[in-house]
Amino acid sequence: MTPSRIAPIQWLRALAATLVLLMHASDMIDSGPVALTGKFVPSVPNLSMFGATGVDLFFVISGFVMAQSLATADADSWRFLAKRWLRIVPLFACVSAVYMMIMHDPLTAPAAWMSITVLPVLDGAGYHVPALYPGWTLGFEFAFYVIVAVAMRAPQRRVETLLALTVALALIGSVVHPGWAPLRLLLNPLLLEFALGVGVWMAWRNGISARYATPALVIGTVLLVVGIAFGLGVPLSLQIEVAVAGTSGLARTWTWGIPWALVVIGVIDTSAEGRFERIVARVGDASYSTYLTHPCLIALLWMVGGYAPTMSPYLFALAFIVASTMLGLAVHRWIERPLLARLQRRPSVSIRRAPALA
């Protein structure tokens, strides 16, 4: 069974996408296009930051998914990278074009290259956030895919090789910060979150996760709650440039990556076939479309928000999350899946496996 069809993976993808939507809803509530009756949970200062941890959960899931792929794939590294490029870039480029048309942004050279490569190949010491700003995470995804492709060349124990390479590059990146932006993605402490996902897969494959599911879930949840309410004693920044630079060291992985990895261990062996679980899994299927398209909805809100009635911040957040999820489901059904089928020219191949960020 592929990881794209392991139901808990899809549930977690749905959760990760919803957390990102919550973060952006919170941002708009603080200073956004719609008149609101108040602020959003002002007594919980880290709640908006908690929404950003959807990205950390996505990275952990991606490590799990790629470990499973590596364990079952052949050793054709170039074919693997080409398939990953087809899976990520065409939809990202299309949505980027739509977003820039809505925003009336000119197509700069760095933005154009980012839309094609998802890597900041034209950046040096600085970093240009892609026009479609969630795309910054795709650069980390593809950097990790490069490590997976290298691990494919190992004659045996490829998953263990992947884990060792990822940890080594992450630790090097916590102290070394190269001057070329793509290399900073490949040497970056955030790669440890992918490594955590690989470790979760190894625990799952060897039956360890089932034995320790309950304590892992409890500890992971407690750490997340503590992180929301008080933090874990390490300063964190949500600035994209800081994440790419790698200057925050291991703080983000310590605060959010480890708790989410424990949560994944806690739920990965769960089995449920009810209607609600199937609906959540479908939302997880569409998580990449949701992740990419919701900035278009934000841009439209800035254009027409002045005509919207005054509403509660809670109602606004709920409406934004539901609308963004429905948009993602529609794009996944009528654009993403047909596009992938046409690009791959093999409609019989499952096209539901997405980058975990996605």
Side-chain angles (χ1 to χ4, degrees):
M1 180 167 56
T2 65
S4 62
R5 303 318 315 147
I6 296 174
I9 289 293
Q10 300 307 94
W11 305 341
L12 291 166
R13 281 174 170 158
L15 173 61
T18 302
L19 286 170
V20 173
L21 297 178
L22 175 64
M23 175 188 66
H24 289 144
S26 178
D27 289 342
M28 286 189 289
I29 287 168
D30 289 338
S31 57
V34 178
L36 301 171
T37 59
K39 295 295 183 180
F40 184 51
V41 200
S43 61
V44 185
N46 291 328
L47 189 59
S48 60
M49 180 176 286
F50 179 60
T53 70
V55 169
D56 304 274
L57 177 55
F58 269 133
F59 285 168
V60 173
I61 295 171
S62 188
F64 182 98
V65 171
M66 288 299 105
Q68 174 72 358
S69 298
L70 186 60
T72 57
D74 56 27
D76 192 339
S77 301
W78 292 111
R79 184 169 181 267
F80 165 78
L81 290 174
K83 290 176 67 175
R84 290 288 87 197
W85 187 92
L86 285 175
R87 181 62 191 87
I88 292 178
V89 174
L91 184 64
F92 173 61
C94 291
V95 179
S96 294
V98 172
Y99 179 77
M100 286 187 285
M101 284 190 291
I102 296 173
M103 295 295 293
H104 303 290
D105 282 346
L107 187 63
T108 63
W113 277 106
M114 282 283 283
S115 297
I116 297 171
T117 65
V118 303
L119 293 172
V121 292
L122 297 184
D123 289 343
Y127 174 75
H128 291 86
V129 177
L132 186 64
Y133 45 88
W136 73 271
T137 58
L138 301 182
F140 282 95
E141 288 275 340
F142 216 85
F144 179 58
Y145 297 157
V146 170
I147 304 173
V148 175
V150 172
M152 278 184 175
R153 311 304 298 178
Q156 56 186 351
R157 303 182 69 85
R158 293 191 290 182
V159 175
E160 289 81 356
T161 300
L162 173 62
L163 180 61
L165 285 174
T166 308
V167 170
L169 292 174
L171 293 179
I172 293 172
S174 67
V175 294
V176 176
H177 311 295
W180 188 39
L183 195 55
R184 287 201 300 277
L185 298 179
L186 194 60
L187 294 172
N188 196 291
L190 269 181
L191 290 176
L192 272 181
E193 297 187 349
F194 295 94
L196 287 170
V198 176
V200 171
W201 178 87
M202 295 172 70
W204 173 72
R205 186 64 177 265
N206 292 302
I208 298 172
S209 59
R211 294 199 298 269
Y212 296 99
T214 299
L217 181 59
V218 170
I219 294 171
T221 302
V222 168
L223 289 175
L224 289 172
V225 171
V226 171
I228 296 170
F230 308 109
L232 294 180
V234 287
L236 290 174
S237 172
L238 294 184
Q239 292 185 351
I240 295 172
E241 293 83 358
V242 173
V244 174
T247 53
S248 61
L250 307 178
R252 185 162 180 166
T253 300
W254 166 256
T255 306
W256 302 120
I258 291 176
W260 277 126
L262 290 170
V263 169
V264 177
I265 289 176
V267 303
I268 192 61
D269 292 289
T270 305
S271 60
E273 299 295 336
R275 182 178 181 182
F276 176 76
E277 288 83 3
R278 290 195 297 271
I279 292 173
V280 175
R282 184 159 296 185
V283 173
D285 288 339
S287 59
Y288 187 44
S289 289
T290 302
Y291 184 75
L292 292 185
T293 58
H294 78 275
C296 297
L297 184 58
I298 293 174
L300 291 173
L301 281 172
W302 276 101
M303 294 174 61
V304 303
Y307 300 98
T310 301
M311 65 179 70
S312 158
Y314 306 100
L315 178 60
F316 172 79
L318 177 62
F320 174 73
I321 290 172
V322 171
S324 298
T325 301
M326 297 301 294
L327 175 62
L329 286 166
V331 170
H332 174 70
R333 172 65 179 84
W334 286 297
I335 298 177
E336 181 184 0
R337 292 178 63 187
L339 176 63
L340 287 173
R342 181 176 293 274
L343 289 172
Q344 295 174 353
R345 295 184 180 180
R346 292 167 59 186
S348 62
V349 176
S350 171
I351 60 176
R352 303 178 93 175
R353 180 184 299 173
L357 256 190

